[in-house]
Amino acid sequence: MEILGLLGYPVEHSYSKKMHSAVIKHLSLAYEYNLFSIPPEKISLAVEGMRLFGFRGLNVTVPYKTAVMEYLDEIDASATLCGAVNTIVNKNGSLVGYNTDYDGFKRALDYHNFDISGKNILVLGAGGASRAVVAALVSMNAAKIYLVNRTLSSAEKLAALFPNIQALSFEDIKSKNIMSGVDGVINTTTIGMYPDVDATPLFSANELTGISFVYDIIYNPLKTTLLKQAEQAGCKIANGLEMLIQQGALGFYLWTGIHPPVDVMRKALAEEETR
Ligand code: ATR
């Protein structure tokens, strides 16, 4: 039996186990996907344990996507670009860190038919998830990226890594009339995530009028207050479920060499949602 799993703190409510277990079962593979909730002072031991016990691979989630990097033997270009690892592959005792959020996000945009090339995109948030999103948008030839964050210095730091990005505060959006030149909005902040489901990053529906699409990388709830407002304003909308599925599918391939049936993963999560 080959061991896969998720390293995080906490991990109990993970959707990853559901989708990976569904694929393992569907393909009758000798793999098992487990949840490993590891407190911060034990994280280096946990990574060493992975090597020692010969686990095939791990997903990494909050709060360890950056912290695990120093314990790995090799960092793939995808992870360097994103400054974070979300997937570890054990290659005969050598631990290699990848980031599949970057490609997963790009695949999700394609799936939703959101066109980035030549477009002006407003990105909310400048944390770990934002960096993968921004790197992906740059690679997809966004014309301009407005990067908005509560802590302006974080936005400035991230903006300095890529061309054509302007760091802004939330207040700047109104005072500089930014929305009039924006084609799409992407939320990477945790504002509106369960359990704080009534929260929304600033916008009233009015402010979103004329925006082509609004994408929220949150998937719990499936329709955040921001997405409800966007829908009301007539924008195309999408949540983070497809990005979660696509990053998972890419990770599964890195571990097993098998391209998993993505529809099985989608179905596993859809069933979870209707419970
Ligand atoms: P992730 O890895 O999911 O991106 P993170 O790195 O903790 O998580 O980043 C969370 C993002 O949500 C940050 O941009 C954070 O803003 P700050 O950099 O100012 O902390 C943003 N965020 C979280 N709660 C927020 C709130 N109540 N108001 C505004 N921004 C918030």
Side-chain angles (χ1 to χ4, degrees), residues 94-108:
S94 180
L95 303 183
V96 186
Y98 294 82
N99 192 304
T100 65
D101 284 335
Y102 169 82
D103 278 323
F105 175 64
K106 292 213 275 192
R107 287 185 178 201

Side-chain angles (χ1 to χ4, degrees), residues 50-246:
M50 172 194 186
R51 193 199 315 270
L52 208 59
F53 292 119
F55 292 179
R56 180 69 192 135
L58 291 177
N59 280 133
V60 184
T61 188
V62 178
Y64 299 133
K65 287 187 179 185
T66 304
V68 292
M69 293 176 81
E70 64 174 297
Y71 306 115
L72 305 180
D73 301 304
E74 201 183 315
I75 303 293
D76 179 70
S78 59
T80 304
L81 188 67
C82 298
V85 161
N86 78 331
T87 305
I88 306 174
V89 182
N90 186 348
K91 296 187 176 177
N92 300 317
S94 180
L95 303 183
V96 186
Y98 294 82
N99 192 304
T100 65
D101 284 335
Y102 169 82
D103 278 323
F105 175 64
K106 292 213 275 192
R107 287 185 178 201
L109 286 175
D110 280 347
Y111 178 78
H112 295 299
N113 285 319
F114 290 169
D115 207 7
I116 300 301
S117 181
K119 299 292 195 291
N120 297 330
I121 311 293
L122 182 82
V123 176
L124 299 164
S130 177
R131 182 157 162 176
V133 163
V134 166
L137 294 174
V138 170
S139 80
M140 295 170 95
N141 300 316
K144 168 117 194 167
I145 298 169
Y146 299 101
L147 186 60
V148 178
N149 202 43
R150 173 178 61 182
T151 312
L152 184 57
S153 58
S154 309
E156 286 169 341
K157 236 165 136 182
L158 179 51
L161 299 178
F162 301 97
N164 301 325
I165 305 188
Q166 187 178 354
L168 298 165
S169 68
F170 278 91
E171 293 71 35
D172 289 337
I173 300 176
K174 251 197 183 131
S175 66
K176 297 188 175 166
N177 194 25
I178 299 295
M179 292 315 277
S180 62
V182 166
D183 300 300
V185 172
I186 300 173
N187 177 45
T188 75
T189 75
T190 49
I191 305 169
M193 192 190 287
Y194 179 84
D196 201 8
V197 297
D198 290 331
T200 178
L202 190 79
F203 299 100
S204 69
N206 272 348
E207 288 172 281
L208 292 167
T209 306
I211 304 290
S212 168
F213 71 85
V214 176
Y215 186 112
D216 199 328
I217 71 165
I218 293 171
Y219 49 83
N220 185 11
L222 289 175
K223 201 181 277 182
T224 57
T225 300
L226 174 66
L227 289 185
K228 286 179 191 162
Q229 291 169 323
E231 194 170 52
Q232 213 181 321
C235 317
K236 289 190 285 182
I237 62 167
N239 65 28
L241 211 52
E242 188 64 20
M243 179 180 174
L244 175 78
I245 291 164
Q246 294 293 348

